[in-house]
Amino acid sequence: MRKIFQWVLWFLIGGIAFVVGMNRLIDALIHSKKDRVVPNIIGINIADSLDVLSSMNLYLKKGAEEFNSNVPAGLIISQSPVAGSIIKEGKAVNVVVSVGGEVIFVPDLTNQTVRSVQLILRKNGLDLGEQDEKYSTVVEKGKIISQNPALRTSIAKNGLVNIVVSLGTPPEGVLLMPDFLGKNIAEAENWTNQNGVKIKNINKVKDSVILENTVVKQMPESDVVLGENKTAEFWIAVGNTEQTQN
């Protein structure tokens, strides 16, 4: 019984000695590492930051990514510990990296009222820019004819979108160019003859898909006011002779 007690006692003493020794060894290893002053890596890209830290036997730990319109994508926004802090070799510096300014895709505003446009833009994190007005034979009065930037264009958050609002049909004496796109050139010719508009040229564009004699482009574009020099030019599809347009 005495021998068992002695063995247990020696085991406990040995265990305590081992733990104390390991603590002293770890403490010695920690204190043997040199102190380092954390450098300022804000505004630097990851690759260059890694070079700076590795030369000081420090590590980089990339954390979150954040939108920041003032810091280009890929550059460091913040770091922890902050520059000037004292840390031991082998420690990590945590960083947050910019992904640039938040980008919004412009929604479709055409044929909406100005009030609806304001609500749509606000909902999408955008603002209303300049408002122009023009007559239109296509879009009813008070609704949006066109927008700039166009639909699905990507712009920065809180960016401005300009609109053109319809004044409705023009007063007597003001002639607007109709929209002949997708229509037979004969319809355009009839309209120009009735309104004293001279056709400068009818250009032919090879296209095996679109019906022959269909207008694919026109100048001026639709809703442009035709002045004293009333002229127009058209581009029509040719090459699809198997079908005819009613």
Side-chain angles (χ1 to χ4, degrees), residues 88-220:
K88 294 292 183 181
E89 288 182 331
K91 295 293 184 179
V93 177
N94 300 286
V95 298
V96 175
V97 180
S98 171
V99 290
E102 187 171 355
V103 172
I104 306 294
F105 289 95
V106 178
D108 185 9
L109 305 177
T110 55
N111 287 304
Q112 300 286 339
T113 64
V114 175
R115 177 57 180 163
S116 295
V117 164
Q118 291 172 327
L119 295 174
I120 292 170
L121 291 177
R122 191 177 306 155
K123 182 180 178 180
N124 285 272
L126 299 170
D127 292 317
L128 181 60
E130 297 179 358
Q131 300 181 52
D132 290 330
E133 296 178 325
K134 63 182 290 188
Y135 294 112
S136 176
T137 58
V138 179
V139 181
E140 65 180 279
K141 184 177 181 179
K143 294 194 174 180
I144 309 307
I145 298 173
S146 61
Q147 62 186 76
N148 183 33
L151 168 66
R152 297 191 184 92
T153 302
S154 59
I155 62 175
K157 186 177 181 179
N158 299 319
L160 300 179
V161 181
N162 304 318
I163 58 174
V164 177
V165 184
S166 173
L167 290 172
T169 54
E172 187 176 351
V174 177
L175 182 64
L176 298 185
M177 182 72 176
D179 185 5
F180 291 111
L181 297 182
K183 298 178 181 179
N184 192 286
I185 186 62
E187 187 173 337
E189 290 176 319
N190 289 337
W191 181 86
T192 55
N193 290 333
Q194 293 173 3
N195 290 278
V197 178
K198 179 181 178 182
I199 297 179
K200 292 171 58 178
N201 197 22
I202 297 178
N203 307 285
K204 296 180 179 180
V205 179
K206 289 186 178 181
D207 194 309
S208 60
V209 178
I210 300 176
L211 297 180
E212 184 136 330
N213 295 323
T214 298
V215 177
V216 295
K217 181 181 177 181
Q218 67 178 58
M219 289 297 291

Side-chain angles (χ1 to χ4, degrees), residues 41-47 49 60-68 71-79 93-101:
I41 53 176
I42 293 176
I44 303 176
N45 61 47
I46 292 292
S49 298
L60 183 144
K61 185 177 181 181
K62 181 181 174 183
E65 293 183 335
E66 295 181 0
F67 290 110
N68 192 309
V71 180
L75 301 188
I76 293 172
I77 300 173
S78 63
Q79 64 179 79
V93 177
N94 300 286
V95 298
V96 175
V97 180
S98 171
V99 290

Side-chain angles (χ1 to χ4, degrees), residues 22-50:
M22 287 301 295
N23 285 337
R24 288 182 176 178
L25 177 62
I26 292 171
D27 189 60
L29 290 173
I30 292 174
H31 286 87
S32 67
K33 292 183 178 180
K34 296 179 180 179
D35 289 335
R36 295 296 186 186
V37 178
V38 178
N40 182 12
I41 53 176
I42 293 176
I44 303 176
N45 61 47
I46 292 292
D48 290 342
S49 298
L50 282 169

